[in-house]
Amino acid sequence: MTVSTIRVMLVDDHELVRQGLRGYLEKRPQLSIVAEAGTVRQAVIRAGKERPDIVVLDVQLPDGSGIEACRAIRTGLPDTKVIMLTGYANDEAVMSSIMAGASAFLLKTTPGEEIANAIDKVAGGESLLDPGVTKRLLEQIREMATAGRPDNEPKLTDNEYKILDRIAEGKTNREIAAEIYLSEKTVKKYVSNILDKLDLRRRSEAAAYIARRRPERQS
């Protein structure tokens, strides 16, 4: 029986990290490293050129968020699966990864052998997002989406809605600032004001809020 080759692209701004991953993954004969990248821009361009089956993608990149790169890759290449790697895990990072279309979210401390196993599973159609975290976040979205709109719900300005939409897309303050031509400091202040107005604590809660509001705004 012939085993299909899984074409993999590695994205991390540290060459040593990429070399280490490549060393582990190339021990698997069914895994072929077809490209590497160290920035969001390189990742999107090289993914479009090589069309890998799996992209192993760092959350933090020097020119932006790996989550934004995940969204761009998944939009252009819907058959390509993405595994997010991060030095730390939190609900907001997992939430943004889910919304961007990632199939797995792993810590950088995960042994190379386990990352190789994750690639095999994701290539086979499995999702390796932590069930507990995923369930909790999806329940949060459903609760907010079905909650009745209170009479005293605060009104946001057009700029605040623009920023809120981009928060829901998992974009960083720097990315938002570049898109709407404001300083990063101004965007940070806007985000703080939005959370205060909506009585929210986290960006993930703001993403859930906008998921509920979009149908109303489009009607």
Side-chain angles (χ1 to χ4, degrees):
M1 179 179 176
T2 303
V3 178
S4 298
T5 299
I6 301 171
R7 305 174 74 255
V8 180
M9 183 170 84
L10 305 177
V11 183
D12 193 290
D13 59 321
H14 294 99
E15 185 178 359
L16 286 177
V17 173
R18 298 198 307 269
Q19 288 178 349
L21 272 175
R22 176 187 282 272
Y24 276 111
L25 301 182
E26 287 184 335
K27 294 176 182 177
R28 299 284 185 96
Q30 78 274 25
L31 301 183
S32 173
I33 310 302
V34 297
E36 294 184 18
T39 66
V40 171
R41 184 173 183 274
Q42 290 174 353
V44 174
I45 291 173
R46 291 177 186 174
K49 181 179 179 180
E50 298 295 339
R51 306 181 73 85
D53 300 306
I54 302 289
V55 177
V56 180
L57 179 59
D58 189 6
V59 170
Q60 299 287 340
L61 293 170
D63 61 336
S65 167
I67 293 170
E68 183 62 22
C70 172
R71 180 179 297 104
I73 291 169
R74 293 279 295 145
T75 298
L77 302 167
D79 291 334
T80 295
K81 304 294 195 309
V82 176
I83 295 174
M84 303 300 299
L85 282 183
T86 183
Y88 61 93
N90 59 53
D91 283 3
E92 290 187 36
V94 178
M95 163 74 108
S96 297
S97 296
I98 292 171
M99 296 179 70
S103 296
F105 189 95
L106 303 175
L107 291 175
K108 283 190 172 181
T109 53
T110 303
E113 188 70 12
E114 290 185 24
I115 294 176
N117 289 337
I119 291 173
D120 284 337
K121 291 178 180 178
V122 168
E126 295 184 42
S127 173
L128 300 181
L129 293 165
D130 181 81
V133 175
T134 303
K135 181 180 178 182
R136 185 165 67 254
L137 293 174
L138 293 179
E139 284 176 350
Q140 181 186 62
I141 292 175
R142 283 194 293 268
E143 287 172 4
M144 293 191 71
T146 57
R149 181 180 178 182
D151 294 335
N152 62 346
E153 184 178 78
K155 182 175 177 60
L156 300 181
T157 66
D158 287 342
N159 263 350
E160 286 171 337
Y161 270 124
K162 288 178 183 178
I163 291 171
L164 190 56
D165 280 331
R166 287 161 174 80
I167 290 173
E169 293 170 358
K171 294 183 177 178
T172 63
N173 288 349
R174 181 170 61 179
E175 291 168 336
I176 295 171
E179 286 192 11
I180 62 177
Y181 306 105
L182 293 174
S183 71
E184 187 174 349
K185 184 177 179 181
T186 299
V187 170
K188 184 177 179 180
K189 185 175 180 180
Y190 263 115
V191 172
S192 179
N193 288 340
I194 290 168
L195 295 179
D196 285 343
K197 275 189 178 184
L198 301 178
D199 193 26
L200 302 174
R201 293 174 299 172
R202 301 177 180 177
R203 293 170 79 101
S204 59
E205 293 176 352
Y209 172 88
I210 201 62
R212 171 170 65 88
R213 291 283 290 132
R214 274 178 176 149
E216 297 177 17
R217 292 168 61 198
Q218 293 170 353
S219 60

